[in-house]
Amino acid sequence: MESITLTPPTPAPTRPPIRFDRNELAGAFGDLGTDLPLLIGVIAASGIDSASVLILFGLMQVFTGLWYRMPMPVQPLKAFAALVIAQKIPGRVIFGGGLAIGVSMFFLSITGLIDALARLVPKAVVRGIQFGLALQLATLALTKYVGADGAAGYALAAAAFAVTVVLFGNRRWPAALIVIALGVAYALVFKLDLATAQRAVGLHLPSWHLPQSADILTGAVLLALPQIPLSLGNSILATKQVAHDLFPERELLTIKKISFTYALMNLVNPFFGGFPVCHGSGGMVGHYAFGARTGGSVVIYGGIFLVMGLFFSQGFAEVVQIFPLPVLGVLLLFEALSLATLLRDVSGSRSDLLVSLLVGLLCAGLPYGYLVGLIVGTAIYYAMQRGWVGLGKH
């Protein structure tokens, strides 16, 4: 009698695991240099409730860490934040603008327009957008952060830089943990004011806010429109590209999924006093560069903001400023360097590299640079492909 071999059924694919180890802890601080100064700036400029901002920011981190199970970052909207800080825009307009950009991104997601845009924009332009962001982050790190504490700050930055160079990529001794510990020790010795720290302690919960139609319209024109080009380029397209670079096995991560969670966060935040947020390629690179490989790093990062918001929010701006900016500058600089190295996969084509460099310079150097870079770079790329202008395929 012929024997029958039973083939066991193929197991259903399981969700990727989430780890909470020292490397995830180290990776949690990979985006701190970008997020913390922006949050401090918008709270100080607009007077919005710090507890609401910190708690919602932390909750969004935890949500994306658990949803994506990879170091998918949540960041304050950068163009949005810059306008708020520069013009001291009040909270009601901020929340109206956040709701407007959430609705806009939701529309792009459900109609499939975001996928059409992704097919239109070439990789060379996406790499250029990332390079432009790298230039901006490096400039911020070197001009605003590294020298913030004078001679002592330069010495601290040099020590943090040396530690990072020696330990960068070390899974046993993650560089970010040593650098953060160095910064904490410096703050405790030279900057801690116990009276300020004591005033900050207390339980606080988010406050409910209902955006009005006039504020939604004002926020859409004043804040959402300047932000959308940066969001499309860096938060959606570039983040998808970086996720593919770092986690090629995650084939189910789509442009539509990233834009949907972007939209969802901003459909929730405005009603609870949260500052509008996005995903971001730089944040993912930062988390990954300092050790993160799962969503655990983002959950840990969000937990830190939750604790600050719930228990230490009333003196937030004063308390967090004891942490030395030179250390944040070093973390930010290595995030920028990691972003810039992504240019390597277009370096084999002279025309693609030229487009990427041009887009990066436009993004970093011009008002509305991300919109200009996206449009001009895409147009030049296709003109080169058709042999109408430029260097052709070399």
Side-chain angles (χ1 to χ4, degrees):
M1 184 181 209
E2 186 179 2
S3 62
I4 300 174
T5 303
L6 296 177
T7 304
T10 303
T14 58
R15 300 185 72 194
I18 291 181
R19 294 197 305 270
F20 297 97
D21 56 25
R22 58 189 169 194
N23 288 290
E24 296 298 314
L25 177 60
F29 299 102
D31 208 21
L32 190 65
T34 304
D35 296 341
L36 200 56
L38 287 178
L39 291 176
I40 293 171
V42 298
I43 290 171
S46 65
I48 54 180
D49 179 51
S50 57
S52 299
V53 171
L54 297 174
I55 291 169
L56 267 295
F57 189 71
L59 285 174
M60 295 304 111
Q61 303 280 353
V62 173
F63 161 68
T64 57
L66 296 176
W67 179 270
Y68 286 102
R69 307 179 80 81
M70 64 191 298
M72 175 66 74
V74 174
Q75 303 174 318
L77 293 178
K78 296 182 182 66
F80 216 100
L83 289 168
V84 168
I85 294 168
Q87 301 181 26
K88 299 188 183 301
I89 294 171
R92 55 185 176 79
V93 178
I94 294 172
F95 304 138
L99 188 57
I101 204 166
V103 170
S104 301
M105 199 60 65
F106 183 73
F107 174 77
L108 290 173
S109 300
I110 63 171
T111 60
L113 288 174
I114 194 72
D115 292 313
L117 181 65
R119 289 191 293 269
L120 176 66
V121 179
K123 181 189 281 191
V125 173
V126 174
R127 291 302 191 213
I129 290 169
Q130 294 168 323
F131 179 56
L133 181 59
L135 291 176
Q136 289 186 322
L137 294 179
T139 301
L140 179 63
L142 295 174
T143 60
K144 300 294 185 183
Y145 289 4
V146 169
D149 287 353
Y154 281 115
L156 180 62
F161 182 84
V163 168
T164 306
V165 168
V166 171
L167 296 178
F168 195 72
N170 190 308
R171 305 285 290 172
R172 183 176 177 82
W173 298 100
L177 287 186
I178 309 301
V179 170
I180 291 293
L182 182 65
V184 169
Y186 179 88
L188 291 175
V189 173
F190 297 106
K191 290 192 169 188
L192 181 62
D193 179 356
L194 289 178
T196 300
Q198 288 172 350
R199 287 196 301 270
V201 177
L203 178 63
H204 298 277
L205 299 174
S207 55
W208 171 258
H209 178 82
L210 184 63
Q212 302 299 307
S213 57
D215 296 327
I216 295 172
L217 180 60
T218 302
V221 174
L222 191 62
L223 296 171
L225 283 179
Q227 175 65 51
I228 285 174
L230 175 57
S231 290
L232 293 175
N234 180 57
S235 303
I236 307 297
L237 302 180
T239 300
K240 171 60 172 67
Q241 183 62 56
V242 166
H244 175 74
D245 296 336
L246 302 180
F247 302 96
E249 71 280 4
R250 304 290 182 90
E251 297 177 357
L252 297 180
L253 181 62
T254 63
I255 290 288
K256 183 177 287 188
K257 187 174 183 179
I258 295 172
S259 62
F260 179 77
T261 54
Y262 177 121
L264 184 61
M265 291 187 296
N266 289 303
L267 292 174
V268 171
N269 267 337
F271 294 99
F272 297 94
F275 191 79
V277 295
C278 61
H279 301 302
S281 62
M284 181 173 286
V285 170
H287 286 299
Y288 188 94
F290 285 100
R293 298 295 183 269
T294 79
S297 63
V298 184
V299 173
I300 293 169
Y301 189 50
I304 293 170
F305 280 95
L306 274 172
V307 170
M308 286 196 296
L310 288 169
F311 302 109
F312 301 99
S313 59
Q314 294 313 106
F316 171 72
E318 293 82 5
V319 170
V320 296
Q321 287 185 39
I322 71 171
F323 191 84
L325 286 178
V327 169
L328 293 181
V330 171
L331 295 177
L332 198 59
L333 180 62
F334 276 88
E335 180 180 334
L337 290 171
S338 297
L339 262 178
T341 61
L342 296 175
L343 280 174
R344 65 184 180 272
D345 71 350
V346 297
S347 61
S349 166
R350 186 179 179 187
S351 59
D352 284 2
L353 182 59
L354 176 64
V355 169
S356 296
L357 294 175
L358 174 63
V359 170
L361 293 173
L362 292 175
C363 290
L366 290 180
Y368 300 98
Y370 287 89
L371 175 60
V372 175
L374 186 67
I375 295 173
V376 171
T378 301
I380 290 177
Y381 175 86
Y382 286 113
M384 284 183 170
Q385 293 298 302
R386 288 163 175 76
W388 296 343
V389 297
L391 301 172
K393 298 179 180 179
H394 295 292

